[in-house]
Amino acid sequence: MGNQQDDRHRLLLLHRWLLITLVVVTALHMHTAEAAPAPEKKKQQKQMVPCMYIFGDSLVDNGNNNNILSLARANYRPYGVDFPSSAASPPGRFTNGRTVVDILAGLLGFQPPFIPAHAMAAQDEYARGLNFASGAAGVRPETGNNLGGHYPLADQVEHFRAVADQLTSSSSPEGKKKMTNQLGKCIYYVGMGSNDYLNNYFMPDYYSTARDYDPAAYAAALLQEYSRQINVLYDLGARKIVVAGVGQIGCIPYELARINDGSPPPNTVGNGAGIGIAVPGITISLGGANRRRSNNNVCNEEINNAIAIYNKGLLSMVKRLNRQLPGAKLVFLDAVSGGRDLVVNAGKYGFTVVDKGCCGVGRNNGQITCLPMQRPCEDRSQYIFWDAFHPTEAANRIIAARAFGSAPGNDAYPFNISRLATL
Ligand SMILES: *[C@@H]1O[C@H](CO)[C@@H](O)[C@H](O)[C@H]1NC(C)=O
């Protein structure tokens, strides 16, 4: 009798437990389905273009620096903490989850794991697309040298040249023609310039560029080299080229931490205005001791003004190349308007923290970047910034969606990436 009652009780408990589990699992599942990006919902979505090649810096790097001697690496936790396939080993993205180009690739119909890092890709993946981006890289070859090894724009373009040569080296003229034709249909994403300012021009203790050029002359020099590299891509077969402008880097947590207080941050040398960079086991601070403080308490307007000159020139470059290069279709992405939208409409997007990194150390979590094994903020979707320099996946989603589908002339000039893909 007692045993029977016990059994019934146990059965009841089991039943209840199963029910709760079912509800929880269903809820989780529904939540995942709801939060899942469009490209994963539509598993069967057709790829809009045959291939995608990516050039840039840490905003889009997905692991090309992992095996080189560099402080500009993100292959340690908690980087990638929200990246679906990063359970075994962190993939080297400088954010909690997906980058802008991951999301763009998804919107273009590429299936996860999207476009592989060139440094780790297998040969049979080359024709579908590669990511050549490298943290700390800039347009200028010396940019980012304060952080160690990386691949500047010219190196990334040379890596693509080797790939294009290999792809078009078919023995038959037919095969060669087909491959060249295909390269003209791919999307080429190029995002460069942030480090030419952060890790060059505005680091006068390490670089002489601020003494050699005023902001207008510096932008002109950058754009001359940038234009040269775009021409090389064009000569190698690229036609649909997305050129991303630089965001308001005077407003990133790293800059906010530097300008809004003059006192030294913890664990840094010098007077503390330098860049805090973490690699497993070491924290170093470099340079930047003589930074002038801005009068504006919100952002570093000296940097934003220099960026505005550069972005204006970049848009002119895109317009000019569209006129000069037959068959070329370049699209300029306005990262400043996109970034402003994130802050102005923060509430609408669910952001509650707009000026602080989710993971980092010191003022604004911006004095030292996210350290190995550091515990990040709980709700990453409420932060625009993941660390001192880089947006969260949540912010990247909004930026990518705007680049892909905005109305003509809004964030993308002369039209959005969705249209570029169908041309
Ligand atoms: C992209 O731009 C085109 C016009 O250039 C527009 O028709 C379209 O609605 C925009 N958005 C998407 C997602 O295609």
Side-chain angles (χ1 to χ4, degrees), residues 71-208:
L71 300 180
R73 290 202 320 213
N75 55 341
Y76 59 83
R77 284 308 178 96
Y79 284 88
V81 63
D82 296 316
F83 198 84
S85 63
S86 66
S89 72
R93 287 167 171 80
F94 292 74
T95 181
N96 59 310
R98 293 186 166 110
T99 65
V100 158
V101 292
D102 290 327
I103 298 158
L104 277 176
L107 291 168
L108 288 164
F110 288 89
Q111 295 306 309
F114 309 125
I115 308 300
H118 173 242
M120 294 172 247
Q123 301 252 339
D124 63 1
E125 298 176 292
Y126 283 15
R128 182 179 162 270
L130 291 170
N131 185 333
F132 299 94
S134 168
V139 173
R140 292 174 70 89
E142 83 276 12
T143 288
N145 279 348
N146 54 304
L147 297 172
H150 60 276
Y151 304 109
L153 178 59
D155 288 12
Q156 295 180 27
V157 169
E158 282 312 301
H159 290 163
F160 175 69
R161 183 199 295 282
V163 166
D165 284 352
Q166 191 183 323
L167 287 172
T168 54
S169 70
S170 167
S171 46
S172 77
E174 274 309 301
K176 197 179 170 75
K177 199 165 160 235
K178 192 165 159 256
M179 200 58 225
T180 306
N181 187 33
Q182 173 165 316
L183 287 179
K185 292 180 179 151
C186 313
I187 297 278
Y188 295 78
Y189 179 102
V190 194
M192 275 289 176
S194 297
N195 288 314
D196 292 299
Y197 288 91
L198 284 175
N199 286 304
N200 190 331
Y201 196 75
F202 287 102
M203 200 172 265
D205 290 350
Y206 199 97
Y207 299 95
S208 67

Side-chain angles (χ1 to χ4, degrees), residues 180-337:
T180 306
N181 187 33
Q182 173 165 316
L183 287 179
K185 292 180 179 151
C186 313
I187 297 278
Y188 295 78
Y189 179 102
V190 194
M192 275 289 176
S194 297
N195 288 314
D196 292 299
Y197 288 91
L198 284 175
N199 286 304
N200 190 331
Y201 196 75
F202 287 102
M203 200 172 265
D205 290 350
Y206 199 97
Y207 299 95
S208 67
T209 46
R211 289 185 292 281
D212 301 339
Y213 300 96
D214 67 20
Y218 188 63
L222 288 178
L223 292 167
Q224 192 181 358
E225 170 63 8
Y226 205 154
S227 175
R228 216 169 64 80
Q229 296 302 334
I230 299 280
N231 271 280
V232 174
L233 290 181
Y234 177 85
D235 290 341
L236 292 169
R239 294 295 178 270
K240 301 181 177 189
I241 306 169
V242 177
V243 176
V246 170
Q248 289 215 295
I249 50 179
C251 304
I252 61 176
Y254 169 67
E255 288 303 332
L256 299 182
R258 279 172 22 135
I259 65 164
N260 291 334
D261 191 315
S263 63
N267 304 322
T268 57
V269 294
N271 83 350
I275 183 169
I277 285 294
V279 286
I282 338 168
T283 302
I284 317 173
S285 179
L286 298 156
N290 298 320
R291 286 284 302 113
R292 191 157 64 80
R293 281 182 60 192
S294 165
N295 293 328
N296 187 321
N297 224 24
V298 180
C299 298
N300 185 332
E301 293 305 332
E302 193 188 351
I303 296 187
N304 284 346
N305 291 339
I307 288 301
I309 298 170
Y310 172 79
N311 281 330
K312 194 166 166 241
L314 200 56
L315 175 59
S316 302
M317 179 191 91
V318 162
K319 289 179 178 174
R320 177 172 55 78
L321 292 177
N322 272 333
R323 284 194 309 269
Q324 284 177 352
L325 304 175
K329 300 173 238 350
L330 283 85
V331 165
F332 170 77
L333 297 184
D334 183 352
V336 170
S337 77

Side-chain angles (χ1 to χ4, degrees), residues 44-84:
Q44 302 313 321
Q45 189 195 336
K46 213 172 146 289
Q47 232 175 266
M48 295 172 76
V49 289
C51 33
M52 182 174 185
Y53 295 95
I54 295 149
F55 307 82
D57 52 30
S58 59
L59 291 169
V60 292
D61 184 358
N62 60 348
N64 284 307
N65 285 5
N66 284 1
N67 296 313
I68 60 178
L69 196 59
S70 174
L71 300 180
R73 290 202 320 213
N75 55 341
Y76 59 83
R77 284 308 178 96
Y79 284 88
V81 63
D82 296 316
F83 198 84

